[in-house]
Amino acid sequence: MATQIVMDSTGDRRHFFEREDPKGLAEAERRFKKFTAQGFTAATRTPAGDLKLIRSFDPTAEETLFYPHLVGG
């Protein structure tokens, strides 16, 4: 089961989906496009545990993290 984790000001939300399920996969891709269009950065975890930025939906990713742009001053 793959996971999409969305970080925001309220904490995080996790969305689980089966990559073999066409409906689940389509929903995950729609969610990816929605959050990246809203300005979230998307990243996957490498085997070493590091984050790797991605610009397009990766249906093979075990875990995708979405985090908002930092605002500071």
Side-chain angles (χ1 to χ4, degrees), residues 25-46:
L25 197 58
E27 178 64 19
E29 185 170 11
R30 185 200 63 75
R31 193 177 302 115
F32 181 94
K33 290 177 180 178
K34 172 187 167 188
F35 285 114
T36 54
Q38 290 176 354
F40 282 77
T41 299
T44 58
R45 205 167 293 283
T46 67

Side-chain angles (χ1 to χ4, degrees), residues 50-64:
D50 300 318
L51 290 178
K52 176 185 172 189
L53 296 181
I54 59 173
R55 304 267 184 237
S56 59
F57 178 67
D58 179 0
T60 66
E62 192 67 34
E63 179 182 272
T64 304

